Amino acid sequence: MGGVRGVQSPELLPDKWYNILPDLPEPLPPPRKPSGEVVSPSELEAIFPKELIRQETSTERWISIPEELRSLYLELGRPTPLIRARRLEQALDTPARIYFKYEGVLPTGSHKINTALAQAYYNRLEGVRRLTTETGAGQWGSALALAGAIFGLKVRVYMVRVSYEQKPYRRIVMQTYGAEVVPSPSPYTDAGRRILEKDPDNPGSLGIAISEAIEDAVKNPDTKYSLGSVLNHVLLHQTIIGLEAKRQLELLGEYPDVVIGAVGGGSNYAGLAYPFIHDRLRKNTGTRFVAVEPRAAPSMTRGEYRYDYGDTAGLTPLLKMHTLGHRYIPPPIHAGGLRYHGVAPTLSILVNHGVVEAVAYKQTEVFEAAVFFARTEGIIPAPESAHAVKAVIDEARKARREGEAKVILFNLSGHGLLDLKGYEDYLEGRLVDAEPEKIDLSYLPEVD
Ligand SMILES: *Cc1c(COP(=O)(O)O)cnc(C)c1O
C-alpha cells in the first residue's frame, strides 16, 4: 500500500458509533436543575430532536449509523487518512513511530462536520426547519452551515465576537454555505442584551453564545439548537475517527501506546480516544491517554469537578464536569475552539479515574510546535490541534531519552489555513501568554 496516506478505502468506514456510557468506570451523573432535581429527557425536547436525546442517554454500546449518513460521510471524504509523520520523527531523531489522523481534509477543515451531518440528519427527519448554534473560532459554525445546506435547513450562528472580528474568513465560509452569522453577545436575545447593557465591548465567549442560541431555539417553535461538543451524542458521532484509526492501524500491524489530542469541549479527542479506551477498560491494554488543553482555559488541570451550567446565562441543565465556572471568560487566545469553561462529563470521569492524563500548554509553546510540524510534515495545524502536536513532540523526545520505540497516535483535528493571524503574531513575536490567577467557583449552585 506504499505510503500510509493510502489507507483510506471505503470498507474502513464503520457502520456503528461507539458509545462509552456502558463502559465508564462509574455511572454518569445525570443532568440536574438548580434545585437538584434530575432533568428528564422529555424536558430537552424544546431544544433537541428525540433521537439525539435518546442517543444522549443510551446505554447501548454500539449505535447504528444510518445508511444515508454513511453515504454522505463517504462522499465528503471519510475515511480520513491515517498518516505516519516520518519527517517529524526524523527531525526529532526519535525511535517513536508517530501516526496522526488528519481531519483537516474534510470540506470545512475539521472534524466538526462528523457530528454536524448527523445532527442535521436527525433534525430534518423530525421535521425541524431551522437550527441555531454558537461558534468560537468558526469551525463548528462552518460545519453546521454546510450540514444545513446539505439537508435544507436554515442555520443561524451566534459567533463569539472576538472571533467574528479576528477571523472574518470563517464568517464568510458560513455565509457562503448560506448561514446567517451574528456576533455574540448580540442584540437579538435577552441574554445578549443584558450583557451588552453592562459591557458594550464584551469580547464574548462560547458560554454566552450558547445562551443566545438556546434562547433563540426555545422561543421559535420551528427551531432546534445544535451543539458542537461536550454532550454525549456529539462525542458518540465523533468516535468514527477512532474506529477508522483502529482499523487503519490494524492494517499496518500497529496499536498505539499513547493517544493524544487537544481538548476544548472534548469531542475530537473523545472521538479518537474512546474506541481505544474501550480496549483499555475491557481488555486492560496499557495504552496511555493524554488530553491537552490551553493554560488560558485549564478546565481539566485547574477546574473543579462539580455541577455547572454549559452556558454563561445558566439556560442549560447543570452538568457534572471539570469546570472553571460558567462566568469564566478566557483570555482571547488564537485557539478559539478551546476557549470553553467546561469539558465533556464522560471525559471528566475518565480524568478523575486516571484513565486520561490532562496537560496544559501556553500558546507560545504551542505555536512553536505547530511551526516545527509545518516545516517537517507540510501541514499547518489549526491552533487547537497544535496543542496536541506540542504534546506529541514532548512524548517523542521522552521516547528518545528513554530509547523506547513507542507508537504515538494523535488527532490533527483541523488545518490552520484560516488561522494565519495566530501564526503571524507568533512569527513576529507578538503572541502573549495568559492564564487565570485564581479560579472562583463560589457562585456555583450546590446540587449534590
Ligand atoms: C472545535 C475544535 C476543537 C475543540 O473542540 P473539541 O470538541 O474539544 O474537539 C479542536 N480542534 C479543532 C480543529 C476544532 O475545530
Side-chain angles (χ1 to χ4, degrees), residues 324-348:
L324 299 164
H326 59 277
R327 291 186 196 155
Y328 180 68
I329 297 188
I333 53 167
H334 285 283
L338 307 187
R339 291 177 75 245
Y340 184 63
H341 65 272
V343 72
T346 52
L347 188 55
S348 296

Side-chain angles (χ1 to χ4, degrees), residues 109-112 137 139-140 228-230 234-235 262-269 337-338 382 384-385 412-415:
S110 84
H111 65 285
K112 296 224 169 66
Q139 286 109 330
W140 168 240
S229 188
V230 181
V234 179
L235 275 55
V263 171
S267 75
N268 86 85
Y269 183 60
L338 307 187
E384 291 84 4
S385 322
L412 196 63
S413 50
H415 71 68

